[in-house]
Amino acid sequence: MKAVFILCSLVTLFYLVSCCEQNYYDKDGECCKKCGPGKRMLVDDNCDDPRCQDCQDGEYQSGYTSETRCERQPSCDPNLHFKPQPNPIKTDLIKCECQDGYYCTQDDDCNTCRKHTVCTPGQKVVKKGTSKSDTLCEACKNGTFSSQELAETCQEWITCQYGYDKNAPGSSTSDRICLDGTPAYRVVIWVMVVFIIILGAVALFIIIKCKMCAKLQKQTEKITCKHIRILREDTEDIERAVQPINQQQPEEDLDDSTPVSPTPSNITENGYPVQQEHGKESISSHPESNSYA
């Protein structure tokens, strides 16, 4: 009998436990109803019809519960490079996601966002970064290069063709540089050709300059001769205009007579020399005769 009682007790307890595992909970040996997802229990005074309340913003409750508090949602701060959560749900735990160019340091609980690694020149991107993994870079192999950041491939060095020499070897960040391998005598010929062209240009410039100077000198001489001719014609016109005026003026009487020395013939009885008028012939003086009519 005792064994049967123990067995029945175990079956009853198992039934009660299995009954309370889902939507009910055990309270003083009685299965009481829980609050649904997204809610919390205010007071567990009513076992069959408990009073429940919705979780507040920023909180969640993922399943049936008899707890009086909801769980807090994680804070996805955009200032910490997280994507904003416009409409957070209250029935499940949300996971923050990092912005583009960043990734989480933990897969299960994204607490920190780190910036993706930037593949530098001389490297190539093997695997692009995601919101949960970093970018994977690889160095370019010998004979290849990349000159930009985040290059997806490494380019091979250029091959110098026949007649070209390597001026600079290639590296992991720059290509090989090839120059024309022209012989030295060709270089000399090209230098001489350029020199002759420059010399011819200088000579042509001098010839043109001399022709311009000669033309300018002729024009100057022509202008000078024209001015002299005009000046000469003006002088002749002035002389012709002045000549009639000179002809109209009376000529002054010039006294070409020489002074006469006193002689007995040109002295009066009183001893004074005889005075003669200008322009008249000299008159010989005669002694006055006393004639009485």
Side-chain angles (χ1 to χ4, degrees):
M1 268 318 271
K2 187 177 181 179
V4 175
F5 177 76
I6 293 173
L7 182 60
C8 292
S9 298
L10 290 175
V11 172
T12 303
L13 181 61
F14 177 77
Y15 173 77
L16 292 174
V17 171
S18 61
C19 173
C20 297
E21 280 183 354
Q22 297 180 354
N23 302 338
Y24 294 85
Y25 70 99
D26 181 20
K27 181 182 178 182
D28 300 331
E30 184 180 1
C31 285
C32 296
K33 191 176 181 179
K34 296 180 180 180
C35 292
K39 298 179 181 293
R40 68 184 181 89
M41 187 174 292
L42 291 176
V43 182
D44 58 350
D45 55 352
N46 192 341
C47 184
D48 295 330
D49 188 15
R51 286 181 294 174
C52 301
Q53 186 181 35
D54 293 337
C55 295
Q56 297 180 0
D57 293 340
E59 297 178 344
Y60 78 99
Q61 188 59 255
S62 59
Y64 288 90
T65 183
S66 60
E67 299 293 334
T68 58
R69 292 183 179 180
C70 295
E71 300 291 336
R72 293 287 302 176
Q73 293 279 17
S75 177
C76 303
D77 189 357
N79 295 323
L80 299 178
H81 309 292
F82 287 105
K83 291 182 179 180
Q85 300 293 333
N87 297 315
I89 60 178
K90 298 180 181 182
T91 59
D92 197 4
L93 173 66
I94 63 172
K95 290 185 178 181
C96 296
E97 296 182 0
C98 294
Q99 299 175 1
D100 294 341
Y102 294 84
Y103 70 100
C104 290
T105 57
Q106 298 179 4
D107 295 336
D108 56 344
D109 189 9
C110 189
N111 294 326
T112 305
C113 289
R114 291 186 179 181
K115 188 175 179 61
H116 284 153
T117 300
V118 178
C119 299
T120 59
Q123 297 178 334
K124 68 176 181 178
V125 177
V126 178
K127 183 179 179 181
K128 292 183 178 181
T130 64
S131 61
K132 294 182 179 181
S133 61
D134 192 9
T135 303
L136 183 60
C137 304
E138 184 180 71
C140 293
K141 297 180 180 180
N142 187 25
T144 62
F145 75 99
S146 64
S147 58
Q148 297 179 352
E149 294 181 347
L150 297 175
E152 296 183 355
T153 58
C154 294
Q155 300 178 4
E156 294 184 357
W157 294 344
I158 189 174
T159 301
C160 295
Q161 299 179 359
Y162 177 76
Y164 288 82
D165 298 331
K166 291 184 294 183
N167 183 53
S171 65
S172 62
T173 58
S174 62
D175 196 3
R176 177 186 292 158
I177 299 177
C178 301
L179 291 180
D180 187 5
T182 305
Y185 72 90
R186 293 186 180 181
V187 176
V188 175
I189 292 176
W190 278 107
V191 172
M192 293 180 62
V193 170
V194 172
F195 178 76
I196 292 173
I197 293 174
I198 295 175
L199 187 62
V202 173
L204 181 63
F205 175 77
I206 294 174
I207 293 173
I208 295 175
K209 191 72 174 178
C210 292
K211 287 184 178 181
M212 292 177 63
C213 291
K215 185 177 181 181
L216 182 61
Q217 185 176 2
K218 288 182 180 180
Q219 292 179 353
T220 305
E221 292 178 355
K222 186 182 295 184
I223 294 173
T224 304
C225 294
K226 183 177 180 180
H227 287 173
I228 293 174
R229 185 173 65 254
I230 294 173
L231 182 61
R232 184 179 297 173
E233 292 176 356
D234 293 343
T235 304
E236 292 177 356
D237 293 340
I238 294 172
E239 290 179 354
R240 285 195 296 269
V242 172
Q243 185 174 4
I245 299 174
N246 293 334
Q247 291 178 357
Q248 292 176 4
Q249 293 180 356
E251 296 182 356
E252 294 181 357
D253 295 333
L254 300 177
D255 187 7
D256 295 334
S257 61
T258 57
V260 180
S261 59
T263 58
S265 61
N266 56 10
I267 297 176
T268 62
E269 292 179 353
N270 297 328
Y272 297 102
V274 178
Q275 298 288 337
Q276 294 184 354
E277 296 180 358
H278 293 287
K280 295 181 180 182
E281 298 179 355
S282 61
I283 302 175
S284 301
S285 63
H286 297 281
E288 295 179 358
S289 59
N290 295 327
S291 60
Y292 299 98

